[in-house]
Each structure stands twice: as C-alpha cells, then as structure tokens.
C-alpha cells in the first residue's frame, strides 16, 4: 500500500519520477524457467537516488557461490584512477554509502571485495582482491591499504563471494515492487523472488548500469555474462557488436 | 447659573456641575457620509484566468501525476527487419501542501451595540459597523490570495516570519514555501538576457525570440504574457530595435500615449504588474513586483497553473448534544472548500466572534513553464 500522506509544510515538492528502461534491443528475452531468488539484504542500487533498495532495470546480478542466491554484481565504479601507493579508492558518495551499508549488514568488520580493471587504458584486466577496512561516506572513499598497482578510472568494484561475475540482470520495465529489496517498513528482505531471470537476448549496451568506460573492462564484462567457466552460460548478443 | 469663575459655585443650586459651553451640551454638527481613506483590497494586475480554481481536495494535501509526453521521432528500420524495442516515457508524481489561514475577529456587543450610524446620528444597532468590519475581514482573505499568487509568479517562493506574516524577502523568514522554479528560469535566464535592457542597443527582440525557442524546448507551452515592472516600458521605448516600430506605427503610438503601458508587442501581451503590493503587519506597503522584472508565462491552463482549494471543517452548530461523537461530527460539521467563515456567539458575558479561513495554494504545477527575468543589471 503506497504512503498516501504528504508530510511537511506548504509548498510544492520536487517531482518523483519513475523512468522506464529497456535493455532489450529486439525480440524477446529467454527467461530461466522457474526463476531464481535474490538476497535482498546484500542487494542495492547506489545510483537509484532516493530509493537505493530498489533495483533498476539493467543492474547486473551474480550468484553468491555459498548460497546460490543472487545479488548485484557491482557496488559501483571508481571515480578516480587508482595509483600505486594509494590507500583508498574513490568511489563517490552514493557508492560509499551502499558499501557502508553492506559492511554493516555483514557485522561491521572488514569487507572483502574485488576490484576489476586494467592498469592503463585498454590494458589487461586484473581482478584484484581487496579488503575494505573503512568507508568514508562524506569523501566517497573506501580504505583498502596500498594495493601496489594501478587501475584506470571507472574500474568495477563488487563482492568477493562469486557474485562479481554477472550471470544475468534486472530486465526491462519501471522500478517496481518486484525489485524492492526491503519491505514496506524498510526492513531488509533476506530473500526476494527473481522470477524474470534473462538468460538470452539481444541487449543494448547503453541501457545497462555500471558499464565501464574502458574498452577492455567492458570486454571482460561482456565475456563474463556469457562465460560457461563462471557458470553464467548466458547467450546475450550486444547491439554494438554489429 | 451664575457665579464668578474663580469662586466656587453657589452651594444652593450649583450641584457641583463642571462649567461647559452651551454648544458642548446642545451643539449640532453635520455628519456627512463616511469614507474609506484607502480602497478596500489590494490590486490584482493578473487576468482573471490566473484566479480560477479547477481543483479541490480534502484537507490541505494532495498530489498530481506528471507525464513526460512524446517529442521523439521513430528509428529508421530496414524494410522486413524485426521491430526495435523502445522505452515508454517517464512518469512521476508531485506532492503539495496547501497554505491555511484562520483568523478570529472579536466583536464586542457592548461597544458595537451602542454606536451611531457612520452617516447620521441615528442608532446604528451595530449593523453597519459590523457589516463593514466583517467585510474587511473577508477582504483580507482575498488579499492573501492575490499577494501569494503574485509572489509565486514573481519569485517562485513565499516567505513567512515566525508569526505567519508574509515577507517581501527571505530576511527574517522562518517558513519558506518553495515552488521549485529552476535557477535557469530566473534572473538572466541562463544567458538569454545577454545584455541589460537598460542599454538602448540591446537586441531585445532577439532575447524574446530566444525565450520563445527555449520555452518550446523546455515544455512546449507557448508563452503569451509578459508581466512587467515600472522600468520596462522605458527600456522598450528607448530601445533602438523597437523605437522604429513605434515611430512608423501611429496607432501603437497613440495607444501608448493614452495608456502609458505597452499592450501587445512582439508577440507577447505585456501586462503591468508594478501596482501590486500589500500592507504588512507594520502598516508598511510592500511592493511585490521589482521595477526591472518581467515574468513570462503561457496562457493559464490546468496543465501548469491552478488555484487549488483544499477544505476545512466548519462547525454548523455549537454545543449540540448528539447521540455520540460520530453523530456530532456528521451532523454539526461541513467541510468547506477554499474560503469560508462563520460567526459565533458566546454568552457569559455576551460576546461575538467572526471567524474567517482559507485553504488554498497557487499551484505552479509545471514550474518550467514560467520565466522570471531580471532584465536590467
């Protein structure tokens, strides 16, 4: 039941908008029969300003190896290039807030993650294990210590539990209750149905979320979505290929 | 009665009365008709269409849905190829809360019941005075609608102090009611007013065309009105691009000389708004319209502007015993839309109060449709 009460003093509020997203370029998706389940507690969409616990269409989803539940593959991307001797990665405030939430949900201790990207533009992509010891939600940074490497801006950051490898994504439509990871009082939903689980289709690169600007990182991402080695086995054709 | 002024009155028949001039006791002075030193109410320079209420609601809160309509074109497809999947258009929702005003004017029967008529020596029985004061009270509500409506169009925001008094600026504001006008629609309109109109060589017609173009792109609503401050006609008349139009157009010249206002010019209807004001709580007149301000708007339409009237419960009888609370509320209260009032007599001691209320909001539904330009800087 939506909240019908309008709080606050007189005046007009800023509009709240629902945007329709279509990742599908043509024909129809092939969905996995039976669907899957998502881990609502560990899922969020940092870029969905004002409603970060509702996942938007185009959010990559990966499988948590230990439980078989799905969560979003990427918390976000680096907004500044990472240089050797840096002890923090700059991710932006929204992503930092989401990572802080995940860290708290896991008990508040160190959070394990994967930092994916090349050391230089279009270079060889490396999947670097990181340990996040602290999060600065004001500066938009996560503390990892010195990783002794470089990574380009827009490198991907996600969990180390297997979900970093995207197997599917939230399909087309309006952000809706079906993709809310919390109940109506805001409490985490440990398990959320994931009935529309695309496993094949012609997709639009520009409509995905968390798409990296670097060409080799993007190639890594596309390959993982169809990668039998990581168990994805998707059959997605990207519109930019032709 | 005789007796020297310095001596005490004769004890036998002075009775201790003070000495007065006979005219102080029996004198007669003509009373002519009462006047109003100031006209009742404040001026409303806007066309009546800006005061029309098309929506009403329960209480003081509401929301409306907002669609982004279609202005895109289709994508070319090779004949025989499968269809492309496309996005639907965004839609959203806007919430609002109305303003509410509720005042009580005490009317003391012991005073009003013992007054003369304002125009003669006859006993008025309080009728004319009361009628006038109650009418003034209702007029305050109408003034409030005018002033706040103009403030929304002029500034996109209304300021109130801690006592609920309307403020001319944010100075001293405790409560601010925002109407979400974008900064690009204010001041120099993000570069459209590229030079001050106070300079005679400024290409004002070009600014106006650029504004039309911006309005079409932003919302699509065609601009119609230009509500202006008192300096603006001077800027237009001295402008070298517009001057020639007046010189070669005797009819327009005559119109201007007769009215001292702009009228229809360069595809806008120019309406003077500089007379708008209100009297504040310190009896100081507060101008609403800046001398160099021009606010451009489309023709009023429910798609972007309305006077939304909320509603307020008004008692229809007092101290009536009903079967229960539900019956009492159902039978003795009406929800009144917008403006309303009632009188109430109390009995110990006898007194009377006039109550007046209003629940409304100048609802700028689509703030991108108006442009609040400061043309001289």
């Amino acid at each position: 039941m939506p909240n019908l009460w309008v709080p606050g003093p007189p005046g007009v509020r800023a509009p709240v908008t629902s945007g329709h997203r279509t990742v599908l370029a043509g024909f129809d998706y092939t969905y996995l029969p039976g669907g899957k389940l998502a881990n609502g507690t560990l899922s969020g969409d940092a870029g969905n300003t004002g409603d970060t616990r509702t996942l938007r269409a185009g959010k990559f989803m990966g499988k948590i190896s230990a439980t078989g539940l799905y969560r979003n593959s990427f918390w976000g991307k680096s907004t500044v290039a990472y240089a050797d001797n840096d002890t923090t990665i700059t991710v932006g405030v929204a992503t930092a807030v989401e990572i802080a939430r995940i860290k708290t949900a896991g008990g508040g201790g160190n959070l394990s993650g994967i930092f994916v990207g090349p050391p230089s533009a279009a270079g060889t992509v490396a999947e670097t294990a990181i340990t996040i010891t602290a999060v600065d939600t004001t500066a938009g940074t996560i503390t990892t210590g010195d990783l002794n490497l470089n990574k380009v801006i827009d490198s991907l950051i996600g969990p180390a539990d297997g979900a970093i490898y995207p197997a599917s994504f939230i399909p087309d439509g309006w952000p809706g209750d079906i993709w809310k990871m919390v109940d109506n009082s805001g409490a985490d939903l440990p398990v959320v149905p994931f009935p529309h689980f695309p496993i094949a289709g012609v997709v639009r690169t520009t409509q995905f979320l968390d798409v990296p600007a670097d060409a080799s990182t993007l190639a890594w991402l596309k390959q993982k979505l169809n990668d039998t080695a990581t168990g994805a086995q998707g059959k997605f054709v990207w519109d930019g290929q032709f | 009665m005789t007796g020297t002024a310095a001596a005490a009155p004769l004890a036998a028949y002075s009775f201790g009365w003070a000495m007065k001039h006979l005219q102080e006791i029996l004198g007669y002075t003509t009373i002519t008709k009462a006047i109003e030193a100031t006209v009742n109410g404040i001026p409303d320079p806007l066309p009546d269409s800006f005061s029309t209420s098309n929506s009403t609601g329960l209480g003081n809160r509401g929301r409306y849905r907002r669609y982004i309509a279609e202005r895109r074109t289709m994508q070319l497809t090779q004949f025989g190829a499968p269809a492309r999947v496309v996005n639907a258009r965004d839609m959203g929702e806007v919430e609002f809360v109305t303003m509410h005003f509720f005042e009580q004017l005490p009317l003391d029967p012991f005073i009003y019941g013992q007054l003369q008529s304002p125009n003669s020596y006859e006993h008025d029985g309080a009728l004319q005075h009361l009628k006038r004061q109650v009418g003034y009270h209702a007029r305050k509500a109408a003034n409030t609608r005018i002033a706040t409506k103009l403030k929304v169009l002029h500034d996109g925001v209304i300021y109130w102090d801690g006592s609920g008094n309307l403020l001319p600026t944010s100075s001293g504001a405790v409560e601010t009611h925002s109407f979400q006008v974008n900064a690009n629609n204010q001041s120099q309109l993000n570069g459209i007013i590229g030079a001050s109109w106070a300079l005679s060589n400024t290409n004002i017609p070009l600014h106006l065309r650029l504004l039309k173009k911006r309005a079409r792109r932003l919302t699509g609503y065609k601009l119609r009105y230009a509500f202006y401050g008192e300096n603006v006609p001077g800027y237009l008349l001295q402008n070298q691009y517009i001057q020639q139009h007046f010189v070669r157009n005797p009819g327009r010249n005559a119109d201007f000389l007769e009215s001292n206002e702009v009228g229809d010019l360069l595809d806008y209807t120019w309406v003077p708004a500089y007379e708008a004001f209100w009297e504040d709580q310190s009896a100081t007149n507060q101008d609403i319209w800046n001398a160099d301000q021009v606010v451009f708007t489309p023709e009023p339409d429910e798609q972007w502007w309305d006077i939304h009237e909320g509603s307020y419960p008004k008692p229809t009888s007092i101290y009536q015993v009903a079967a229960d609370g539900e019956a009492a509320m159902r039978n003795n209260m009406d929800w009144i839309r917008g403006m309303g009032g009632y009188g109430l007599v109390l009995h110990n001691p006898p007194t009377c109060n006039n109550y007046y209320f209003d629940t409304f909001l100048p609802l700028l539904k689509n703030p991108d449709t108006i442009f609040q330009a400061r043309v001289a800087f």
Side-chain angles (χ1 to χ4, degrees):
Chain A
M1 178 71 178
N3 181 7
L4 298 178
W5 179 251
V6 179
V12 177
R13 306 292 184 260
V16 176
T17 302
S18 183
H20 190 255
R21 299 177 63 82
T22 50
V23 183
L24 188 69
F27 297 109
D28 295 304
Y29 288 119
T30 299
Y31 291 111
L32 186 69
K36 281 294 179 184
L37 294 170
N39 183 319
T41 303
L42 299 178
S43 298
D45 184 348
N48 193 13
T49 306
D51 194 4
T52 57
R53 303 307 307 284
T54 297
L55 307 183
R56 291 171 293 166
K59 196 71 174 168
F60 290 107
M61 299 292 282
K63 182 176 175 179
I64 304 169
S65 305
T67 63
L69 299 178
Y70 285 77
R71 67 188 289 186
N72 48 296
S73 294
F74 310 115
W75 296 321
K77 299 181 286 185
S78 59
T79 58
V80 173
Y82 179 86
D84 188 12
N85 297 324
D86 286 350
T87 57
T88 61
I89 302 172
T90 304
V91 296
V93 170
T95 300
V97 167
E98 174 63 8
I99 293 174
R101 185 190 70 77
I102 301 285
K103 192 167 179 293
T104 301
N110 293 341
L111 179 64
S112 297
I114 306 282
F115 192 16
V116 180
S120 58
T124 303
V125 172
E127 300 169 20
T128 306
I130 58 175
T131 301
I132 301 169
T133 56
V135 182
D136 188 332
T137 57
T138 303
T141 59
I142 56 176
T143 303
T144 60
D146 183 2
L147 302 177
N148 296 309
L149 45 74
N150 298 316
K151 277 203 198 290
V152 299
I153 187 175
D154 235 36
S155 291
L156 299 164
I157 302 169
D161 57 8
I164 190 80
Y165 303 115
S168 184
F169 51 86
I170 304 296
D172 302 4
W174 311 88
D177 288 345
I178 193 172
W179 305 118
K180 276 183 81 73
M181 301 293 116
V182 293
D183 66 17
N184 285 339
S185 66
D188 287 331
L189 290 167
V191 175
V192 179
F194 192 171
H196 298 150
F197 190 100
I199 55 174
V202 182
V203 294
R204 272 197 274 245
T205 312
T206 56
Q207 292 296 297
F208 280 106
L209 302 172
D210 303 319
V211 173
D214 179 77
S216 55
T217 315
L218 179 58
W220 174 93
L221 176 59
K222 289 181 178 180
Q223 186 268 327
K224 291 303 175 192
L225 198 58
N226 292 342
D227 188 357
T228 57
T230 54
Q233 300 186 59
K235 295 291 181 283
F236 295 101
V237 176
W238 298 71
D239 61 344
Q241 296 297 114
F242 304 99
Chain B
M1 293 292 177
T2 58
T4 62
L10 294 176
Y13 51 83
S14 69
F15 306 116
W17 292 345
M19 292 294 108
K20 286 191 177 290
H21 193 287
L22 181 62
Q23 284 190 314
E24 289 182 280
I25 301 170
L26 293 175
Y28 178 87
T29 303
T30 302
I31 292 183
T32 59
K33 189 173 180 184
I35 66 160
E36 288 182 329
T38 58
V39 170
N40 192 23
I42 60 175
D44 185 356
L46 303 181
D48 291 344
S49 49
F50 281 88
S51 301
T52 304
S53 172
N54 294 296
S55 69
T56 182
L58 184 66
N60 68 334
R61 290 156 206 272
R63 49 167 52 90
Y64 54 92
R65 275 65 195 258
R66 178 175 173 270
Y67 288 90
I68 305 299
E70 188 58 271
R71 305 192 300 175
R72 300 172 300 182
T73 59
M74 296 181 78
Q75 291 172 274
L76 185 65
T77 306
Q78 299 310 312
F79 188 77
R84 299 176 193 274
V85 175
V86 295
N87 290 346
R89 298 299 275 164
D90 290 355
M91 68 87 61
E93 186 173 79
V94 180
E95 297 174 335
F96 62 88
V97 178
T98 69
M99 299 181 291
H100 177 68
F101 306 89
F102 188 25
E103 290 187 348
Q104 168 187 332
L105 177 66
L107 303 167
D108 187 339
F110 291 99
I111 294 176
Y112 282 97
Q114 301 182 68
L115 294 178
Q116 299 173 11
S117 160
N119 303 315
S120 71
Y121 285 109
E122 294 177 6
H123 179 222
D124 171 62
L127 293 176
Q128 290 186 65
H129 292 290
L130 268 184
K131 189 174 179 179
R132 192 180 286 267
Q133 293 297 335
V134 168
Y136 290 157
H137 198 194
R139 186 69 225 183
K140 272 183 88 176
N143 293 345
T144 307
R145 287 212 179 187
I146 293 169
T148 54
K149 169 181 70 173
L150 289 165
K151 290 293 280 178
V152 170
L153 289 174
H154 184 271
D155 298 316
V157 66
I158 307 178
Y159 300 110
W160 307 87
D161 70 10
S163 300
N165 295 305
L166 181 64
L167 293 173
T169 67
S170 59
S171 175
V174 169
E175 199 167 322
T176 299
H177 300 165
S178 168
F179 292 82
Q180 309 293 335
V181 177
N182 193 293
N184 290 336
N185 285 38
Q186 297 177 313
S187 300
Q188 281 72 64
L189 311 182
N190 195 27
I192 285 183
I193 311 297
S196 173
W197 286 15
L199 303 172
S200 61
N201 63 350
T202 295
N203 195 340
I204 295 177
L206 175 61
H207 293 179
L208 296 174
R209 286 195 295 275
L210 290 173
L211 179 58
K212 284 168 72 172
K213 186 176 172 181
R214 169 85 61 84
R216 285 299 204 179
R217 276 151 178 73
L218 203 51
T219 65
Y221 292 99
K222 187 176 186 316
L223 295 174
R224 160 122 191 246
Y225 288 107
F227 299 105
Y228 61 88
E230 62 264 34
N231 286 347
V232 176
Y235 300 148
L236 297 174
L237 280 174
Q238 76 177 10
N239 184 266
Q240 66 189 39
Y241 290 85
I242 298 174
Q243 241 176 21
Q244 296 304 315
H245 165 78
F246 278 101
V247 166
R248 288 168 172 72
N249 199 329
R252 291 303 319 277
N253 251 335
D255 287 345
F256 175 76
L257 287 172
E258 187 176 318
S259 68
N260 198 21
E261 304 296 353
V262 180
D264 287 334
L265 180 69
L266 300 173
D267 203 25
Y268 290 90
T269 298
W270 296 76
V271 178
Y274 53 82
E275 293 182 76
F277 78 98
W278 84 94
E279 181 184 309
D280 72 10
Q281 66 280 9
S282 307
T284 302
N285 290 330
Q286 297 289 352
D287 285 342
I288 295 178
W289 220 265
N290 183 277
D292 294 324
Q293 181 99 336
V294 183
V295 177
F296 299 91
T297 79
E299 184 72 51
D301 185 278
E302 284 183 80
Q303 293 294 311
W304 70 273
W305 175 265
D306 196 12
I307 301 294
H308 175 86
E309 292 185 329
S311 54
Y312 188 69
K314 168 188 155 181
T316 54
S317 63
I318 303 291
Y319 302 128
Q320 296 294 310
V321 177
D324 53 34
E326 182 266 334
M329 188 175 289
R330 178 166 36 84
N331 297 328
N332 298 299
M333 268 193 188
D334 281 340
W335 282 85
I336 303 299
R337 160 187 168 169
M339 231 181 256
Y342 58 95
L344 183 64
V345 171
L346 301 175
H347 76 100
N348 193 13
T351 189
C352 182
N353 290 313
N354 185 71
Y355 295 89
Y356 218 81
F357 55 85
D358 198 3
T359 309
F360 77 97
L361 189 72
L363 190 50
L364 182 56
K365 292 182 174 180
N366 193 348
D368 284 344
T369 54
I370 72 170
F371 296 84
Q372 299 164 334
R374 191 60 58 92
V375 299
F377 48 92

